[in-house]
Amino acid sequence: MENPLLAHDGLPDYANIRAGHIEPAIRAAIERHRATLAALLAQDAPTFASLVEPFEEANHTLARTWNPAEHLAAVQDSEPMRAAANTCRALLADYHAEVGQNEALQRACAAIRAREGGGLGAPARQLLDNLLRDFRLAGAALPAADRARFRELMQGLATAQSRFEENVLDATQAWQRHVTDAGLLDGLPADLRERAAAAAPPAGLDGHLLALDQPNYVPVMGHARSEALRREFYEAWTTRASDRGPSAGRFDNGALMEQILALRHETARLLGYASYAELSLATKMAATPAEVLGFLEDLVRRYRPAAERELAELERFAGRPLAAWDLSYFAERLREQRHAVSQEALRPYFPLPRVLAGLAEVARRLYGLTLEPRPGVALWHPDARYYAILDRAGREIAGFYLDPCARQGKRGGAWMGDCINRKRIAGRESLPVAHLVCNFPPPAGGRPSLLTHSDVVTLFHEFGHGLHLMLTRVDFPSIAGIAGVPWDAVELPSQFMEQYAWVDEVLPLISGHVDSGEPLPRAMLERLLASRSFHAGLAAMRQLEFALFDFRLHAEYDPARGGRVAELLGEVRRAVAVIQPPEFNRFAHAFTHVFAGGYAAGYYSYKWAEVLAADAFAAFEDSGVFDAAVALRFLDSILSQGGSRDIMEAFVEFRGRRPEVGPLLRRDGVAA
Ligand code: ZN
């Protein structure tokens, strides 16, 4: 039988893909891609149509082979599946590095850009500019000696970053708290106690055993009545992988942090940038380090009074000055008292079928879309489903899989991933198809899955990413949908869509009691809406502290002085933190977002995208959240454009001006 991952004439045959198909399919797909590329480069005078378009097509085919395999590894975990996916990830990383350093391809693209640039459409020019930029950032333009050093730097970084992450994981797992006096667990949620009771016997212990992972740490800090227990957890958590705390020195990331910063700085200098912060911005919407720092410092000034007010009020409520390990405990008590709306009490009002029907209605009112269930499509699990998306004229323009509920062997969290990106090259078209994956509670007791409101927000968020992929009109897959969109703007469509889960007139569409069908009662709805900006100032200041620390660390690095990690963290905290953490706090040593990869000199992206999304949504607030003209402008200027145009220009076209922070501050209840 043919390998189902290599059949590309329709949707993936999810019912028949097995772990054993993955590696042979990826090896075959890489070989085909390599042969295609060699043949394309053997042409005498390649053109955009004879080289770049078929190259896009070949990349699309390779992605289309891998995406379903990667998806299955995440939703249908097993030893063979995991092993096959890991092997293929490494094969693909090597192959992408090989293509990224292909000098002949780089020269051909540069020649095409110079020769044909003026005559090509704007998206094609953008595509070529991205390709040439990525070659440059992959070191392909460097002299031979520098290129060898560049490869060493990349390998060194990959090793150091993954060791950083391993140390954090090992340090987290190395610490556990054995509790024999059940009174110490007062206040903790029942599910946490059950987990802790179940964990003790396998370790040969009685009583309760609490691990130091996020699902335990967060509720302990928020709910444990025992201050001693909170303090112990706080110390263990904030000294992970450092020279302090219960595992002091065993997994210390101190030297690795210095090494990582030095390697990044050298990489940036080799590529002609003054700092790694500048290199990071080469692919982002923000233009210069000064712009990012100005953005963050401005927000610090604006949020500070609110954060100080919130802290003072919290200390009055607690009746004493608060230590770092008291903050979330008393915040939770104040929240309960003031907003008295528990997520658990909201669940019966948000049954999944009702929420989905409301979400479909929002998509219809905004963009004229119809979500049509397609029961015949092959799936990996009976819980999953497939919807076609029809436009106003009833034409099928896209589709998505939804796998809503948690189960054994499925990765936690929620995400949107490409199944198939849109493509139209030389008359051959692929419609975009998304995977939307969540981990809502499974149906139980004859009732459908019941969502909390924060689950509803998550669903809207992922659907927003999905629309970015599905409503794209761009023909070239490397700049269609979310591809080629700068990292600091990629959360704009998702955070924009989240806002709809908080709209007064949308809540009746997405809620209906599971037994009576009644919409959310007015009083509950009002409490829910009011709870949104609770402690928004404190939360924002925390994110701004992380973002400023990350950015200055990379912008100010000086090889003569080293990373100055502790010094800089102290400086940022003195300037930003409204509550000074204790001296032993070694937060940076477990800051995996920044030291293990992705968000280096990019943590500011969270706030940046939040500002864009709140400001975009504010365009609707004057004329109504379903205003057809504004929705069409958002679709035309931003949502359908993928990475095909400069995102700042697109935003200005939509909004009539550059982004402003006012709408986000208003949403957070902070005076502008
Ligand atoms: Zn997101």
Side-chain angles (χ1 to χ4, degrees):
M1 198 187 92
E2 221 221 312
N3 190 323
L5 282 168
L6 293 171
H8 293 155
D9 39 353
L11 293 167
D13 184 7
Y14 273 122
N16 289 306
I17 301 171
R18 303 285 171 261
H21 291 126
I22 296 178
E23 195 182 329
I26 295 304
R27 286 191 184 277
I30 289 175
E31 276 325 304
R32 274 182 217 175
H33 190 281
R34 191 181 268 127
T36 304
L37 185 55
L40 292 174
L41 289 171
Q43 303 175 75
D44 273 343
T47 63
F48 189 84
S50 77
L51 173 69
V52 182
E53 287 190 355
F55 178 59
E56 280 283 296
E57 184 103 60
N59 292 341
H60 188 258
T61 304
L62 184 55
R64 204 174 162 159
T65 311
W66 168 239
N67 292 348
E70 184 176 45
H71 171 70
L72 282 181
V75 296
Q76 209 178 58
D77 184 38
S78 66
E79 273 309 315
M81 195 66 96
R82 193 183 297 189
N86 284 340
T87 304
C88 291
R89 258 183 223 113
L91 287 172
L92 285 164
D94 284 350
Y95 184 61
H96 287 310
E98 174 188 322
V99 175
Q101 303 255 348
N102 187 317
E103 279 175 82
L105 179 60
Q106 184 211 3
R107 274 198 307 273
C109 289
I112 291 168
R113 179 71 176 89
R115 206 167 48 237
E116 295 180 53
L120 295 169
R125 278 203 305 277
Q126 182 73 51
L127 192 169
L128 277 170
D129 289 345
N130 287 1
L131 271 173
L132 293 171
R133 175 198 69 196
D134 294 343
F135 279 125
R136 198 165 47 73
L137 297 183
L142 295 171
D146 285 351
R147 214 176 322 154
R149 178 63 188 150
F150 185 86
R151 270 197 297 275
E152 278 170 26
L153 290 170
M154 289 299 106
Q155 278 158 5
L157 261 179
T159 310
Q161 292 181 166
S162 59
R163 277 185 50 211
F164 183 95
E165 191 154 29
E166 283 161 18
N167 280 339
V168 175
L169 194 65
D170 290 347
T172 307
Q173 288 173 351
W175 191 85
Q176 292 176 315
R177 177 65 160 87
H178 179 215
V179 174
T180 47
D181 167 13
L184 213 53
L185 305 180
D186 276 355
L188 293 179
D191 64 326
L192 190 156
R193 288 152 167 274
E194 279 160 28
R195 266 203 316 275
L205 299 167
D206 53 3
H208 295 78
L209 189 61
L210 283 88
L212 182 70
D213 50 13
Q214 190 114 13
N216 279 345
Y217 177 70
V218 174
V220 166
M221 297 311 289
H223 301 287
R225 274 190 210 118
S226 159
E227 183 181 344
L229 187 70
R230 293 201 307 269
R231 191 193 181 289
E232 266 185 81
F233 263 81
Y234 177 87
E235 186 182 353
W237 180 262
T238 62
T239 57
R240 285 175 303 156
S242 80
D243 57 332
R244 297 295 299 266
S247 304
R250 275 178 66 201
F251 312 101
D252 192 351
N253 269 333
L256 278 173
M257 290 152 82
E258 284 295 333
Q259 196 189 339
I260 288 166
L261 290 170
L263 291 171
R264 284 181 184 158
H265 184 76
E266 191 183 341
T267 306
R269 299 291 297 146
L270 206 55
L271 292 173
Y273 294 96
S275 68
Y276 189 80
E278 257 191 26
L279 168 57
S280 158
L281 297 189
T283 52
K284 295 196 172 69
M285 179 177 173
T288 62
E291 187 182 3
V292 173
L293 288 169
F295 168 78
L296 294 172
E297 281 159 5
D298 175 48
L299 286 176
V300 165
R301 272 191 301 277
R302 291 164 184 266
Y303 275 106
R304 175 189 295 288
E308 282 170 349
R309 232 178 8 251
E310 288 161 5
L311 179 62
E313 181 198 55
L314 192 61
E315 293 194 326
R316 272 198 308 279
F317 172 76
R320 63 175 172 85
L322 297 176
W325 48 87
D326 294 326
L327 278 182
S328 51
Y329 177 77
F330 284 100
E332 286 304 314
R333 303 293 79 72
L334 180 60
R335 188 205 303 270
E336 280 168 6
Q337 191 197 72
R338 176 167 310 163
H339 299 294
V341 54
S342 100
Q343 291 283 342
E344 292 306 314
L346 290 169
R347 275 190 202 279
Y349 290 96
F350 295 112
L352 181 61
R354 175 75 202 179
V355 177
L356 286 173
L359 182 63
E361 179 60 15
V362 170
R364 189 189 67 78
R365 291 192 193 179
L366 271 174
Y367 308 117
L369 304 174
T370 304
L371 274 55
E372 195 173 271
R374 288 284 162 85
V377 167
L379 299 166
W380 54 92
H381 190 274
D383 279 359
R385 53 200 89 174
Y386 183 83
Y387 294 85
I389 294 224
L390 314 183
D391 69 6
R392 228 178 274 277
R395 272 188 315 251
E396 187 167 341
I397 54 167
F400 69 94
Y401 294 90
L402 176 67
D403 186 350
C405 295
R407 64 171 174 270
Q408 199 69 42
K410 180 171 161 182
R411 180 172 21 116
W415 68 92
M416 190 288 295
D418 291 28
C419 176
I420 304 174
N421 203 356
R422 181 178 141 82
K423 177 208 73 171
R424 197 177 60 189
I425 293 170
R428 288 183 303 278
E429 189 173 16
S430 295
L431 296 184
V433 176
H435 295 124
L436 303 190
V437 184
C438 299
N439 271 281
F440 303 141
R447 287 168 152 195
S449 172
L450 301 177
L451 276 51
T452 63
H453 185 259
S454 70
D455 290 338
V456 174
V457 173
T458 300
L459 181 65
F460 273 65
H461 179 102
E462 301 310 336
F463 189 69
H465 281 308
L467 288 180
H468 201 188
L469 179 80
M470 294 186 284
L471 298 186
T472 197
R473 296 181 195 137
V474 180
D475 295 336
F476 303 120
S478 68
I479 49 170
I482 55 171
V485 176
W487 191 303
D488 46 359
V490 84
E491 295 293 332
L492 164 57
S494 53
Q495 298 197 7
F496 169 80
M497 202 65 203
E498 266 184 41
Q499 314 267 339
Y500 281 83
W502 290 99
V503 170
D504 204 332
E505 64 185 288
V506 170
L507 279 157
L509 299 175
I510 56 175
S511 67
H513 195 279
V514 64
D515 299 323
S516 66
E518 273 174 64
L520 195 63
R522 192 71 222 166
M524 271 176 115
L525 188 148
E526 272 163 16
R527 279 201 302 272
L528 178 66
L529 294 178
S531 69
R532 190 182 186 189
S533 57
F534 180 74
H535 280 190
L538 285 168
M541 289 299 272
R542 215 173 114 81
Q543 289 297 100
L544 290 167
E545 178 187 320
F546 297 166
L548 269 172
F549 168 62
D550 160 51
F551 205 79
R552 289 187 54 189
L553 202 55
H554 293 94
E556 296 171 22
Y557 184 86
D558 173 358
R561 301 165 74 193
R564 299 193 303 128
V565 175
E567 200 181 325
L568 204 62
L569 184 58
E571 257 177 58
V572 170
R573 277 177 171 164
R574 278 188 296 280
V576 176
V578 291
I579 188 161
Q580 290 300 326
E583 186 279 327
F584 63 73
N585 179 304
R586 292 289 185 275
F587 153 76
H589 287 67
F591 198 6
T592 48
H593 274 77
V594 162
F595 285 104
Y599 281 87
Y603 199 84
Y604 78 89
S605 299
Y606 285 111
K607 269 281 163 261
W608 185 273
E610 246 184 290
V611 165
L612 297 178
D615 196 17
F617 184 68
F620 289 81
E621 283 171 332
D622 304 331
S623 45
V625 294
F626 293 119
D627 186 279
V630 184
L632 187 63
R633 219 166 62 231
F634 184 64
L635 179 63
D636 284 347
S637 300
I638 296 180
L639 203 53
S640 66
Q641 296 288 336
S644 72
R645 62 181 296 194
D646 180 84
I647 179 74
M648 184 60 92
E649 276 173 29
F651 191 93
V652 170
E653 181 179 284
F654 166 62
R655 205 65 177 92
R657 55 162 175 72
R658 289 170 65 88
E660 287 178 2
V661 298
L664 178 65
L665 296 174
R666 275 200 301 282
R667 191 198 79 189
D668 283 348
V670 173

